[in-house]
Amino acid sequence: MLELNDLYVSYGSIRALGGISLRVEPGELVALIGSNGAGKSTTLKTISGLLRPRQGRIIYQNRDISREPTDRIVGLGLSHCPEGRHIFGRLSVRENLLLGAVRRKGVIADDLDRIYTLFPRLKERLAQAGGTLSGGEQQMLAIGRALMSRPALLLLDEPSLGLAPLMVEHIFGVIRELKRTGTTMLLVEQNVHHALDVADRVYVMETGRITLEGPAAELKHNPQIEQSYLGR
């Protein structure tokens, strides 16, 4: 479904990605882990068209989207839930959700019902301004908004960042449910324990390069992962 081939991205003269390649197959949940500044969020921003690669190709559903604008990429079925949530604070919960479906045609009632099932708390706060929600509720809203486009591929950037442990468990419960129902996902996550538990395959990034990859079940016992990320 998605292939990155020898992707280079720079911020001015500073290289952020140094020739990374990865793939996501239909129905997979692939995790991208690594320390702060490794290039994980840059990778997702480049896939969704917010950044342009200097070299390399992004192939999505057999189409080169390396130079496509973000709105067209969204229209092709790729949705990005960004780090930091970036909800519209003055708009209501319902209005934020509807913005996620702005490129959709037809009835969206079933999609809203799905979001309310995944996140019952959002249904209780439909008229509330997004900016007045708690951090966990804003993360629910950001994920819900991304799902409203009915993505074929969902990019999730640090969904547990800054959340209390109980909320982290809830968010990963939702991710597991999305996986169970067939949503293809590329997950960036610093909570390596949760990422390894939920992912099918994992890529490890360091300073803009992929340094390790493999099935999540195998990498759980890799010495590099245990020492660097799991504290064993």
Side-chain angles (χ1 to χ4, degrees):
M1 174 175 280
L2 175 73
E3 290 185 23
L4 308 187
N5 296 321
D6 198 29
L7 205 64
Y8 285 78
V9 176
S10 297
Y11 295 99
S13 61
I14 300 173
R15 177 178 291 174
L17 300 181
I20 69 166
S21 298
L22 62 79
R23 61 182 172 82
V24 182
E25 301 293 345
E28 274 195 316
L29 196 166
V30 174
L32 186 58
I33 65 173
S35 60
N36 281 331
K40 306 182 303 297
S41 294
T42 295
T43 300
L44 297 195
K45 290 177 182 178
T46 307
I47 294 168
S48 61
L50 298 173
L51 296 172
R52 288 282 179 256
R54 295 185 63 179
Q55 182 179 321
R57 297 201 305 163
I58 305 168
I59 307 299
Y60 172 65
Q61 294 187 333
N62 299 315
R63 175 173 178 166
D64 190 337
I65 62 168
S66 307
R67 302 293 169 183
E68 296 279 9
T70 298
D71 61 334
R72 191 169 298 169
I73 291 172
V74 173
L76 294 172
L78 193 153
S79 188
H80 185 175
C81 182
E83 178 185 1
R85 297 139 199 171
H86 295 284
I87 64 168
F88 295 92
R90 295 185 180 182
L91 299 184
S92 70
V93 167
R94 191 176 194 283
E95 289 167 334
N96 269 275
L97 291 174
L98 292 178
L99 281 174
V102 70
R103 292 184 61 89
R104 292 268 311 282
K105 296 180 180 180
V107 179
I108 61 172
D110 288 346
D111 302 276
L112 288 169
D113 286 342
R114 181 193 184 203
I115 302 306
Y116 302 154
T117 299
L118 291 170
F119 302 113
R121 201 174 301 181
L122 294 183
K123 188 173 183 180
E124 300 169 3
R125 290 160 169 73
L126 285 180
Q128 188 172 331
T132 66
L133 300 177
S134 70
E137 290 165 347
Q138 289 187 18
Q139 186 63 67
M140 295 177 190
L141 182 55
I143 295 174
R145 181 182 61 190
L147 291 172
M148 285 296 293
S149 67
R150 290 190 183 178
L153 174 61
L154 177 63
L155 309 180
L156 287 172
D157 195 351
E158 301 284 10
S160 75
L161 184 65
L163 302 185
L166 283 177
M167 184 58 69
V168 171
E169 293 296 333
H170 178 67
I171 293 296
F172 271 91
V174 169
I175 291 172
R176 288 186 179 89
E177 175 61 17
L178 294 174
K179 178 182 176 182
R180 186 189 68 80
T181 55
T183 302
T184 306
M185 288 174 275
L186 177 56
L187 168 69
V188 162
E189 180 56 60
Q190 283 197 338
N191 191 321
V192 173
H193 175 76
H194 279 86
L196 290 172
D197 275 348
V198 75
D200 297 301
R201 291 187 301 106
V202 176
Y203 291 87
V204 181
M205 286 193 76
E206 294 181 10
T207 59
R209 296 181 181 274
I210 303 293
T211 59
L212 188 65
E213 63 180 276
E218 294 180 8
L219 292 189
K220 284 182 182 180
H221 307 292
N222 181 282
Q224 177 183 336
I225 299 295
E226 291 182 339
Q227 293 173 13
S228 299
Y229 301 106
L230 298 180
R232 296 174 184 169

